[in-house]
Amino acid sequence: MRKVLTVALCAAAGMSLAACGSSQTGSTSAGAAETLTGTAEGFGGDVTVTLTVEDGAITACTITGDDETPDIGGAALEEL
């Protein structure tokens, strides 16, 4: 069950970045960092993923879902 939830949250996070729109801040010139943020509806509320990308590589990732069930969705967010 935990693996299924983890896969589902990863899919939701990826879809939020691709389908629900993302905001981009910063410059896109070589060597500059970009911050991409996407939000999707989780079981308990919004789940937001923020990625930092430098030179085409992800250098940082944060996932928040403050209204998710602590023992289920919250635990999956910690693991991701």
Side-chain angles (χ1 to χ4, degrees), residues 47-61:
V47 175
T48 301
V49 177
T50 302
L51 298 176
T52 302
V53 180
E54 290 185 62
D55 295 326
I58 297 172
T59 57
C61 176

Side-chain angles (χ1 to χ4, degrees), residues 1 10 13 18 22 26-27 30-33 43-44 49 58 62-63 66 70-72 74-75:
M1 178 68 178
C10 285
S22 63
S27 172
F43 286 107
V49 177
I58 297 172
T62 59
I63 304 172
D66 296 335
D71 293 337
I72 300 171

Side-chain angles (χ1 to χ4, degrees), residues 21-29 32-38 51 53:
S22 63
S23 61
Q24 177 177 323
T25 59
S27 172
T28 58
S29 63
E34 296 179 80
T35 302
L36 306 169
T37 302
L51 298 176
V53 180

